[in-house]
């Protein structure tokens, strides 16, 4: 049944690419302005060695930043859930933090933290932590009140209430936030590489933009999309193994 789920978007994508190829061939539009899918494929083959190096650098940075962002989001959610006073004081500030443009904040991070990996990781953390924190906090607060009362009457302490009821109940919503963070993480890595990285897809895009190589820019965009989908798929698989595994246990 899985193929029935993916067949319609796959057909749509193939038709779009075919229409794109036909348009660029018939119209005769300059390749530097709008390259054809064939031009993009040729550029990918031509640049495969450089693209491999840049892609691996971006993957490494993305995974580091995503791990740090998820850890920060989970820690914030748990602390705010366990300390209601802090939730009332800090939660509005978390919302406000998401209204600060990352692209404007990034140069300040370079001034404060230098040109190493630290400002790049911070950029990804700022992009990723919020959906994880909000989704997890929401899930922790929606556990069944009747079951909670029953556990308390049975002598359960606060730690047992958290580990046996609230945390398992929050897993589905936590993974929803984690999947959002997974897609954002690649975007955050690209922005962070614009800060002055020596390698990475973000750096590659800057170089190719300066050279007006639209075909190579499209290759970079495709790689970013594929990376985001791959990380999203890994999180979805982890969710399936964790959440559904608990349900069937």
């Amino acid at each position: 049944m899985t193929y029935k789920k993916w067949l319609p978007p796959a057909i749509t994508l193939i038709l779009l690419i075919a229409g794109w190829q036909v348009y660029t061939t018939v119209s005769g539009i300059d390749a530097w302005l709008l390259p054809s899918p064939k031009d993009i494929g040729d550029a990918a083959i031509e640049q495969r060695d450089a693209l491999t190096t840049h892609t691996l650098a971006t993957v490494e940075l993305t995974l580091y930043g995503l791990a740090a962002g998820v850890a920060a989001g989970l820690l914030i959610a748990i602390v705010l859930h366990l300390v209601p006073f802090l939730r009332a004081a800090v939660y509005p500030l978390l919302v406000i933090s998401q209204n600060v443009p990352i692209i404007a904040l990034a140069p300040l991070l370079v001034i404060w933290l230098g040109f190493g990996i630290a400002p790049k990781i911070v950029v990804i953390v700022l992009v990723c932590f919020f959906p994880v924190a909000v989704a997890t906090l929401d899930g922790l607060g929606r556990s069944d009140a009747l079951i909670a009362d029953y556990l308390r009457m049975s002598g359960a302490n606060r730690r047992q209430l958290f580990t046996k009821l609230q945390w398992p109940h929050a897993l589905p919503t936590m993974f929803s936030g984690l999947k959002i963070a997974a897609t954002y993480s690649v975007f955050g890595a690209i922005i962070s590489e614009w800060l002055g990285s020596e390698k990475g897809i973000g750096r590659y895009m800057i170089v190719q933009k300066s050279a007006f190589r639209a075909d190579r820019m499209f290759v970079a965009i495709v790689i970013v999309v594929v990376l985001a989908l791959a990380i999203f798929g890994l999180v979805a698989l982890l969710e399936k193994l964790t959440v559904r595994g608990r349900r069937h246990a």
Side-chain angles (χ1 to χ4, degrees), residues 149-202:
D149 290 338
Y150 175 78
L151 290 175
R152 290 190 186 96
M153 288 187 295
S154 301
N157 56 35
R158 192 171 186 181
R159 179 183 61 82
Q160 292 171 326
L161 193 65
F162 179 82
T163 57
K164 301 297 184 182
L165 175 63
Q166 295 170 345
W167 176 252
H169 186 84
L171 285 178
T173 54
M174 183 203 74
F175 273 105
S176 295
L178 188 54
K179 285 187 283 190
I180 296 173
T183 56
Y184 285 179
S185 63
V186 181
F187 168 72
I190 297 301
I191 292 179
S192 69
E193 288 170 347
W194 291 347
L195 300 178
S197 178
E198 295 182 358
K199 55 184 178 180
I201 294 299

Side-chain angles (χ1 to χ4, degrees), residues 96-114:
I96 292 174
S97 71
Q98 297 304 295
N99 290 280
V100 179
I102 294 296
I103 197 68
L105 186 60
L108 292 175
L109 294 175
V110 173
I111 295 174
W112 296 334
L113 301 175

Side-chain angles (χ1 to χ4, degrees), residues 62-63 123 125 136 143 147 154 158 165 184 196 239:
T62 299
L63 294 179
V123 167
V125 169
T136 305
S143 57
I147 298 178
S154 301
R158 192 171 186 181
L165 175 63
Y184 285 179
E239 177 188 23

Side-chain angles (χ1 to χ4, degrees), residues 213-247:
R213 291 301 301 263
D215 52 348
R216 295 178 181 178
M217 284 289 293
F218 272 106
V219 173
I221 292 172
V222 170
I223 291 175
V224 170
V225 172
V226 171
L227 288 179
L229 290 176
I231 297 176
F232 180 92
L234 290 175
V235 173
L237 178 61
L238 182 61
E239 177 188 23
K240 182 178 180 181
L241 296 174
T242 303
V243 177
R244 296 184 184 180
R246 280 178 172 268
R247 291 175 180 173

Side-chain angles (χ1 to χ4, degrees), residues 44-57:
I45 295 173
E46 177 188 351
Q47 290 280 295
R48 59 185 179 274
D49 293 334
L51 288 170
T52 299
T53 300
H54 288 295
T55 300
L56 291 176

Side-chain angles (χ1 to χ4, degrees), residues 195-210:
L195 300 178
S197 178
E198 295 182 358
K199 55 184 178 180
I201 294 299
R203 175 63 181 171
Y204 180 84
M205 293 175 73
I206 291 177
V207 173
Q208 302 309 324
K209 181 191 71 172
S210 301

